[in-house]
Amino acid sequence: MRLYDVDVSSRLLLGTAQYPSPLVLTDAIAASGCGVITVSLRRETANGGASGFWPLLQATGALILPNTAGCHSAREAITTAQMAREVFGTNWIKLEVIGNADTLQPDPFALVDAARILCADGFVVFPYTTEDLIVVERLLDAGCRVLMPWGAPIGSGRGLRHVDALTAMRGHFRSVPLIIDAGIGAPSQAAQAMEMGFDAVLLNTAVAKAGDPVAMARAFGQAVAAGRLAFEAGLMPPRDMAVPSTPVLRMADLGLGGLR
């Protein structure tokens, strides 16, 4: 997969929060085969700065995508992104501007404002957005070249809540890399997103809070790969009626005592 002129080794992206231990985190990253991991500036500074969490992430070999998790205004998100660029040494930023504290739904107005300013400032912006087509168009106009529509509210595990809207989004923006972000709770849901033609899946809670995070990370890695392969192979279209899978030509016709 290619994101902003960078080749990425896997179509699965993993978050780094809520794992029971640093060892489990690094083992899960390795088991998943993911090529990109996300991390918030708040989590980095809360884990000992450059002497703690950051070297641990660097040792995984995955690309780092800092995010502005927890920001509720464009100004807060912009400031956090600028600080993250200094800490992590990358222009990549996953842009989150939360508009509702209960659903954690993105604020589309603040999101577009922040995206425009950050793109102009040289950031490579991955905006966390809804499936609204008008918002998507505004983000593309602002300079974003990759979009991250939500599947369902963050941490809900409800999968793809608005399949029809996501299908329309995928069909309308065929040349834009689209990464399903948030709400994925099972490998089957990740495979479904990939079968629909989405370019990648980003998730965190479903792996970090699993009974065995390492095994679940491996399961998600395989599901994403299988879903993509199925999409590329060409899925059969659904039908309203049954169609026999066994050809009737040359079958025995016992009633007539002969062959057709």
Side-chain angles (χ1 to χ4, degrees):
M1 179 174 60
R2 196 163 181 81
L3 300 174
Y4 284 104
D5 301 322
V6 175
D7 290 326
V8 179
S9 61
S10 169
R11 294 178 182 272
L12 175 64
L13 293 73
L14 276 186
T16 56
Q18 306 182 69
Y19 285 84
S21 72
L23 178 60
V24 172
L25 167 61
T26 54
D27 285 349
I29 291 171
S32 72
C34 73
V36 177
I37 54 178
T38 65
V39 60
S40 69
L41 180 65
R42 289 171 175 81
R43 180 163 175 77
E44 155 61 15
T45 54
N47 282 269
S51 64
F53 197 53
W54 179 219
L56 185 75
L57 298 180
Q58 287 179 306
T60 66
L63 295 171
I64 306 296
L65 176 60
N67 66 41
T68 61
C71 293
H72 290 262
S73 69
R75 170 183 248 176
E76 185 181 8
I78 292 167
T79 300
T80 301
Q82 292 169 338
M83 295 172 63
R85 179 163 60 180
E86 294 183 12
V87 171
F88 297 106
T90 178
N91 287 331
W92 280 26
I93 193 73
K94 179 192 169 189
L95 179 61
E96 297 182 27
V97 186
I98 301 303
N100 184 281
D102 293 325
T103 65
L104 301 182
Q105 179 173 332
D107 179 335
F109 308 103
L111 180 68
V112 172
D113 288 344
R116 183 176 294 109
I117 292 171
L118 290 173
C119 286
D121 192 27
F123 280 91
V124 174
V125 179
F126 295 72
Y128 166 61
T129 181
T130 64
E131 62 281 295
D132 187 285
L133 300 185
I134 304 302
V135 175
V136 169
E137 289 178 345
R138 297 293 182 269
L139 289 169
L140 293 174
D141 290 342
C144 300
R145 290 165 49 196
V146 175
L147 302 172
M148 306 183 78
W150 67 345
I154 293 172
S156 68
R158 296 180 62 185
L160 306 182
R161 190 172 58 166
H162 301 299
V163 172
D164 289 344
L166 289 169
T167 300
M169 183 181 184
R170 177 69 284 178
H172 194 73
F173 300 100
R174 294 182 180 274
S175 62
V176 178
L178 299 178
I179 301 172
I180 292 293
D181 177 17
I184 297 296
S188 58
Q189 296 167 355
Q192 179 189 11
M194 300 305 296
E195 289 172 358
M196 291 169 60
F198 285 90
D199 296 276
V201 170
L202 188 151
L203 55 97
N204 186 169
T205 308
V207 170
K209 291 298 186 180
D212 186 339
V214 177
M216 186 62 75
R218 184 176 296 109
F220 269 105
Q222 293 174 357
V224 167
R228 180 64 185 187
L229 183 59
F231 170 74
E232 293 175 342
L235 293 164
M236 67 170 287
R239 296 165 173 157
D240 293 329
M241 299 182 64
V243 178
S245 58
T246 302
V248 296
L249 184 65
R250 302 295 296 171
M251 288 184 64
D253 189 342
L254 300 180
L256 297 178
L259 296 177
R260 293 178 181 174

